Amino acid sequence: VTVSEDSALRGVRLTSEAIVWSETQLLAVYGTVSALVTALAAAVIIVTLFTGCSLRLAFFVLIVLSSIIALVISALVALGWSIGVVEAIALTTLVGLAVDFSLHIAQAYAVAEPESYIDVGAEKDNVSARRVARAQLSTRSIAPAIVSAAMSTVLALVPMLWCHLRLCWIFSLITMGALLLSVLASLHFLVPMLMCFGPSKLDSHLLKALFGSLPRAFLTLSLIGGCVVFVAWAELRERAFDTLAL
């Protein structure tokens, strides 16, 4: 609102709790984009590490995650929902939920041994046959666990739909939809991509060096966790200083 210099409203200060809540909503919505980009970048790094530095597998997982996020946001827009604080929080945590199943599929694909599955003969050196064998082995080994984990989580979220708090039932609804989309995208989108374009041969030496034994796996996970905690602590410390400066 533009106020002229000779207006009686100049010098008037407006205070209200609604202004604070409005500022919180604006910060949450505007920060959703940066949070999603940061979460996607972290997911790609983790997938790359756990698949033996396979950038192709990480790229496939990134495509799946981006598709899931786009579908969820499109569904919210189609339903006429506005992106508020609750939706922003749910979308931020969506990446962590969605990457879980795709990571399991990609990691199982990376450690699969198609030589034990393909018949000895000409097909053993066939690139397409090795891709299909890896995808089938990974799906057979991890698909039942993925479906069971998703269904158990969805069933646990169902009672929250009857909660009177808007925060609870919206968060549970978005999470349930994201989980179901993650399962469908992992099994019916990621697996076909791996069959058609996945790497036929993967170097397992790095995976064995990082996770070949319990001490190595513990050390690797400790280093990853330490890096995450350091980055998070640096961000929280910077925001705390900014708050104190105000």
Side-chain angles (χ1 to χ4, degrees):
V1 179
T2 303
V3 181
S4 61
E5 294 183 358
D6 56 348
S7 175
L9 295 178
R10 292 191 62 83
V12 176
R13 178 175 297 179
L14 177 64
T15 60
S16 174
E17 294 182 358
I19 297 178
V20 179
W21 176 245
S22 176
E23 183 68 18
T24 303
Q25 284 189 318
L26 289 175
L27 291 175
V29 173
Y30 292 152
T32 302
V33 177
S34 59
L36 287 176
V37 173
T38 304
L40 287 174
V44 170
I45 294 174
I46 295 299
V47 172
T48 303
L49 180 62
F50 277 82
T51 56
C53 290
S54 176
L55 295 178
R56 193 187 303 185
L57 291 178
F59 177 70
F60 291 157
V61 173
L62 177 61
I63 293 176
V64 173
L65 291 179
S66 302
S67 302
I68 295 172
I69 294 173
L71 287 173
V72 172
I73 295 177
S74 301
L76 294 178
V77 174
L79 292 173
W81 288 5
S82 59
I83 306 298
V85 175
V86 180
E87 291 81 5
I89 295 174
L91 289 175
T92 305
T93 58
L94 185 150
V95 179
L97 294 173
V99 74
D100 192 17
F101 304 140
S102 299
L103 173 60
H104 287 313
I105 292 289
Q107 200 272 339
Y109 182 91
V111 300
E113 298 180 355
E115 290 80 4
S116 60
Y117 186 76
I118 302 176
D119 294 335
V120 178
E123 289 189 353
K124 195 169 185 179
D125 296 328
N126 191 333
V127 175
S128 299
R130 293 177 63 87
R131 288 173 178 168
V132 173
R134 281 183 177 273
Q136 289 178 343
L137 285 173
S138 61
T139 305
R140 290 184 177 183
S141 62
I142 206 67
I146 287 177
V147 174
S148 300
M151 294 307 299
S152 61
T153 306
V154 168
L155 291 176
L157 291 172
V158 168
M160 295 181 65
L161 296 176
W162 285 272
C163 185
H164 294 286
L165 292 177
R166 184 174 182 270
L167 169 65
C168 294
W169 69 264
I170 287 184
F171 185 82
S172 63
L173 188 61
I174 295 177
T175 304
M176 290 168 59
L179 286 173
L180 295 177
L181 285 175
S182 300
V183 174
L184 293 175
S186 299
L187 298 179
H188 299 286
F189 185 34
L190 179 59
V191 173
M193 277 199 302
L194 295 177
M195 289 182 175
C196 297
F197 309 108
S200 60
K201 294 183 179 180
L202 289 167
D203 188 7
S204 60
H205 294 293
L206 181 59
L207 281 174
K208 293 180 180 179
L210 295 175
F211 307 101
S213 62
L214 183 60
R216 292 179 181 178
F218 179 78
L219 179 61
T220 302
L221 294 176
S222 299
L223 290 175
I224 296 174
C227 293
V228 173
V229 170
F230 176 78
V231 173
W233 170 252
E235 181 67 19
L236 291 175
R237 185 180 180 183
E238 182 179 356
R239 293 190 178 186
F241 285 153
D242 293 340
T243 304
L244 291 176
L246 296 177

